[in-house]
Amino acid sequence: QVQLVESGGGSVQAGESLTLSCAVSGRSISSYVVGWFRQPPGKEREFVASIIWRSAVTEYGDAEKGRFTISLDNAKATVYLQINSLKAEDTAVYYCGARLRGWAEYDYWGQGTQVTVSS
């Protein structure tokens, strides 16, 4: 069982940067992959980035390369998503999820944090 709690969302101006946090707790979290997803208004949830806890190897969705950076702080058991040069189309609810390494499905999810970008 893994618990995830997102924070750091808010209302920002286009062009600014924002860092979201995902606090992770539970057993054997080093066996997991933690991913960030987002759901824009009226659209499906989409993959943003993921990180393998044990190796810190990262993966990004095609649309986010260059502006998004995922990282983790093992001591704080927290995964971060830094978003630079925010655009109005980045407005979404951002979720973090966790899956066991080697599994395709994300079984655990946080409650989400709202990011609203105004131009």
Side-chain angles (χ1 to χ4, degrees), residues 19-91:
T19 298
L20 306 179
S21 300
C22 175
V24 184
S25 61
R27 299 182 63 179
S28 303
I29 59 175
S30 62
S31 300
Y32 284 82
V33 177
V34 176
W36 280 99
F37 294 75
R38 66 181 182 181
Q39 187 166 16
K43 296 184 179 181
E44 297 290 317
R45 186 157 55 187
E46 60 186 17
F47 172 74
V48 176
S50 65
I51 188 164
I52 299 173
W53 198 279
R54 186 162 293 177
S55 64
V57 171
T58 60
E59 181 181 0
Y60 292 89
D62 289 339
E64 286 73 34
K65 289 179 181 177
R67 292 196 302 120
F68 290 65
T69 303
I70 189 170
S71 61
L72 74 84
D73 185 327
N74 206 2
K76 295 182 179 180
T78 299
V79 175
Y80 303 96
L81 182 70
Q82 180 178 343
I83 314 171
N84 296 323
S85 302
L86 278 154
K87 305 175 181 179
E89 51 263 43
D90 294 322
T91 294

